[in-house]
Amino acid sequence: MRKVFHFDSPPDAYVADAAVLCCFDHRISRAVRKFLKKQSIERADMIVVAGGAKTLASPRNDFEQDFILEQVRMSIRLHQTKRVLVMSHSDCATYGGLAHFKGDREAEADHHRGELIRAGELLTSNFPSISVEPYFVKFDGIWEVRNAEGLKSVIQGKRSDAALR
């Protein structure tokens, strides 16, 4: 082997501030990084795959969902993760983009709200001790799914309808 790039990185084990499931779409990557910094998440276990939350909420196959659950399980086991951020974004190609919703941004947001809640419920049912935070990334900001039914971190055990804020 030949060294082609030098950097210094701490080799010590760490506790993750959060595991973050998001789409690999380059258009949102900078916003996600800035958002994590604003949330004081410095040590994130990034799970970056096409579709992000879609892989849990409406996977194309069992492997896809199992793979993501295993990644979260590994983050919990190896890095004592207690918090999971789950994200989807506007105009995501795995959903057919905004065109799939005939350009209706409200219909798109409603659909993603449901997907994010489903993904969060799957995570909390598989890992009852974690906190799950669902977010919808648009091109003008990141929106928290508020009052998501059953997600401890969002409503602390109360039940009510979901709404984007």
Side-chain angles (χ1 to χ4, degrees):
M1 284 188 276
R2 174 177 72 89
K3 185 176 187 178
V4 296
F5 181 72
H6 176 78
F7 64 92
D8 292 312
S9 182
D12 302 327
Y14 66 94
V15 172
D17 296 322
V20 180
L21 173 61
C22 65
C23 186
F24 65 17
D25 191 315
H26 179 71
R27 297 175 297 169
I28 66 164
S29 61
R30 185 172 182 208
V32 169
R33 282 193 312 273
K34 285 184 171 194
F35 176 70
L36 295 179
K37 186 174 183 175
K38 183 110 172 129
Q39 297 292 308
S40 299
I41 297 173
E42 295 176 19
R43 293 170 308 276
D45 283 347
M46 298 299 296
I47 306 166
V48 182
V49 295
K54 184 181 191 311
T55 58
L56 292 176
S58 53
R60 292 171 295 171
N61 54 57
D62 290 340
F63 168 79
E64 193 170 64
Q65 190 176 74
D66 292 344
F67 175 77
I68 299 302
L69 291 173
E70 181 61 17
Q71 294 300 295
V72 173
R73 185 176 292 107
M74 294 295 285
S75 180
I76 292 167
R77 185 168 66 82
L78 299 175
H79 302 138
Q80 296 76 53
T81 301
K82 303 272 188 249
R83 180 180 179 194
V84 178
L85 280 64
V86 59
M87 301 177 155
S88 64
H89 71 92
S90 182
D91 197 34
C92 184
T94 63
Y95 286 97
L98 185 58
H100 176 75
F101 303 96
K102 297 177 178 41
D104 185 339
R105 294 187 185 281
E106 190 172 324
E108 179 192 43
D110 286 342
H111 181 78
H112 281 275
R113 179 185 304 119
E115 291 281 280
L116 288 160
I117 290 169
R118 242 185 334 279
E121 287 172 344
L122 181 67
L123 286 167
T124 56
S125 69
N126 278 272
F127 311 106
S129 64
I130 64 168
S131 172
V132 176
E133 301 170 29
Y135 295 97
F136 182 50
V137 182
K138 295 170 65 176
F139 296 105
D140 65 350
I142 296 179
W143 304 79
E144 179 181 24
V145 175
R146 303 283 297 175
N147 302 327
E149 183 176 330
L151 304 182
K152 290 184 252 180
S153 67
V154 180
I155 62 167
Q156 302 301 322
K158 293 181 183 177
R159 296 199 170 267
S160 66
D161 295 328
L164 282 177
R165 294 255 176 178

